[in-house]
Amino acid sequence: MIRVGIVGGTGYTGVELLRILALHPDVELVAITSRGNAGEKVADMFPNLRGHVDLVFSDPAEADLKACDVVFFATPNGIAMGQARELLEAGVRVIDLAADFRIKDLDVWSRWYGMTHASPDLVAEAVYGLPELNREAIRGARLVANPGCHVTAVTLGLLPLVRAGVVDASRLIADSKSGTSGAGRKAEVHTLMAEAGESFRAYAVAGHRHQPEICQTLEIAGGEPVGLTFVPHLVPMVRGIEATLYATLKGDAGDLQALFEQAYADEPFVDVMPPGSLPETRSVRGNNVCRLAVYRPGAGDTVVVLSVIDNLVKGASGQAVQNMNIMFGLPEAMGLRTIGLLP
């Protein structure tokens, strides 16, 4: 059994980790920390876990995280970079669901996240946790940087095109829409039902911190600089991301459907849908799948890719568990074979 600890168990990604790990056949939940809720039963805060999780929240200073085999950080940006080293030195593997170890250029990271990095050497060591790109490196990793939610949807949608070199990588466009849970569990006016309900708006149009992460990943995959216009939107739903992606073909790209099907033929959590499909966010709600559809409108030089994920599962906690399975040599889909919730 893999002994698991979670730092920051009261946010949406934390409770999603609990939901998935509580039914994982090879996991023993050892510790779940929360400074503000220490001593409170987990199931009292999250009643969906009654009968599945018997732990109480523990203070981070008192939790015996070094007794774990792996620790997930479901914390705000800037926390894991100060605490991961001690765990790694104790032989504990670390998976960070925040952004502390995702961007290799520390000047870029500091510009977007507004702080100086506390552990530059760990950034260099960390493996970027997109299994479809870095599976072999993840197997031997001590420290995994779990990708961002928008990043996962956009990258998986554009990856086959950029890898194959069939599009102009300097002119990529990502129009990405996410539900309110993407903003986290903290109370903010713009995610109140009366504010977000029956409305639809863009945000961070001048620049979003997921943009450099997407560019870094695609540049590594394609071997050339990437120019990306990335515009996120908030839609009045709880879960889900739908990314509509646009790229300009360089010439005759051949059969784009076949390109995508071949690229993801062996991937357990990427579903390339039949021609003419329109993937819906509700089809992936609660599961770890990214569904894709590819179009070439009017047989012109523009390719359109539709990508949907659950931002809390494949966009966060499910992907983190997928990475854990790879790191510990378990079947990659263990504990993750759930069906999307309909209606």
Side-chain angles (χ1 to χ4, degrees), residues 107-127:
D107 290 335
V108 172
W109 186 87
S110 295
R111 186 160 65 249
W112 284 99
Y113 290 93
M115 61 187 96
T116 301
H117 207 286
S119 302
D121 57 319
L122 294 183
V123 176
E125 175 187 345
V127 173

Side-chain angles (χ1 to χ4, degrees), residues 67-86:
C68 297
D69 298 306
V70 62
V71 169
F72 295 88
F73 278 85
T75 49
N77 300 316
I79 302 298
M81 68 179 182
Q83 299 181 18
R85 186 183 306 279
E86 186 176 355

Side-chain angles (χ1 to χ4, degrees), residues 9 18 38 112 114 214 236 269 313:
L18 289 169
W112 284 99
I214 298 167
F269 294 114
V313 190

Side-chain angles (χ1 to χ4, degrees), residues 9-334:
T10 60
Y12 290 139
T13 57
V15 69
E16 195 70 357
L17 275 171
L18 289 169
R19 182 181 73 85
I20 295 168
L21 292 171
L23 297 178
H24 193 293
D26 266 24
V27 161
E28 177 188 357
L29 287 168
V30 174
I32 304 161
T33 74
S34 170
R35 185 171 285 105
N37 298 92
E40 182 178 350
K41 289 184 177 180
V42 171
D44 286 348
M45 177 174 287
F46 300 116
N48 62 318
L49 298 175
R50 283 180 56 84
H52 298 288
V53 177
D54 296 327
L55 292 175
V56 299
F57 291 109
S58 54
D59 189 285
E62 300 174 0
D64 189 12
L65 295 173
K66 292 181 182 179
C68 297
D69 298 306
V70 62
V71 169
F72 295 88
F73 278 85
T75 49
N77 300 316
I79 302 298
M81 68 179 182
Q83 299 181 18
R85 186 183 306 279
E86 186 176 355
L87 292 170
L88 293 170
E89 290 176 349
V92 180
R93 295 186 180 187
V94 171
I95 300 173
D96 179 29
L97 278 74
D100 291 16
F101 303 103
R102 294 175 186 164
I103 296 176
K104 297 300 184 182
D105 187 323
L106 294 179
D107 290 335
V108 172
W109 186 87
S110 295
R111 186 160 65 249
W112 284 99
Y113 290 93
M115 61 187 96
T116 301
H117 207 286
S119 302
D121 57 319
L122 294 183
V123 176
E125 175 187 345
V127 173
Y128 191 68
L130 189 69
E132 295 78 10
L133 186 63
N134 288 330
R135 183 172 283 105
E136 292 309 312
I138 292 167
R139 291 190 200 282
R142 297 193 308 162
L143 172 61
V144 167
N146 212 58
C149 54
H150 284 289
V151 183
T152 298
V154 173
T155 302
L156 290 176
L158 292 173
L159 190 58
L161 299 169
V162 172
R163 263 182 165 171
V166 297
V167 296
D168 182 352
S170 69
R171 298 173 58 196
L172 304 176
I173 298 173
D175 176 356
S176 193
K177 287 77 65 178
S178 69
T180 57
S181 62
R185 197 162 178 257
K186 58 187 178 296
E188 291 188 324
V189 171
H190 75 278
T191 57
L192 296 173
M193 178 60 74
E195 301 289 331
E198 300 182 41
S199 185
F200 178 28
R201 67 177 179 87
Y203 63 96
V205 180
H208 188 281
R209 58 182 56 173
H210 280 184
Q211 180 171 355
E213 185 183 339
I214 298 167
C215 290
Q216 171 185 269
T217 307
L218 292 176
E219 285 171 1
I220 292 171
E224 63 177 322
V226 166
L228 174 70
T229 300
F230 170 63
V231 181
H233 300 75
L234 181 68
V235 296
M237 63 184 182
V238 174
R239 289 174 179 257
I241 287 178
E242 195 281 343
T244 303
L245 313 170
Y246 304 87
T248 302
L249 296 166
K250 289 181 177 179
D252 183 8
D255 188 340
L256 294 176
Q257 181 72 23
L259 174 66
F260 274 73
E261 290 178 356
Q262 291 166 11
Y264 292 122
D266 299 321
E267 293 299 337
F269 294 114
V270 180
D271 176 21
V272 179
M273 300 184 71
S277 298
L278 297 169
E280 302 175 84
T281 57
R282 66 176 187 159
S283 74
V284 295
R285 189 165 57 223
N287 74 15
N288 197 53
V289 172
C290 174
R291 288 207 160 93
L292 301 172
V294 59
Y295 285 83
R296 187 175 180 179
D301 65 353
T302 300
V303 55
V304 178
V305 181
L306 309 178
S307 175
V308 298
I309 63 170
D310 185 321
N311 58 293
L312 295 178
V313 190
K314 184 59 173 169
S317 303
Q319 186 149 253
V321 173
Q322 186 179 353
N323 282 318
M324 180 198 75
N325 287 341
I326 295 169
M327 294 166 78
F328 286 88
L330 300 176
E332 192 166 327
M334 183 175 282

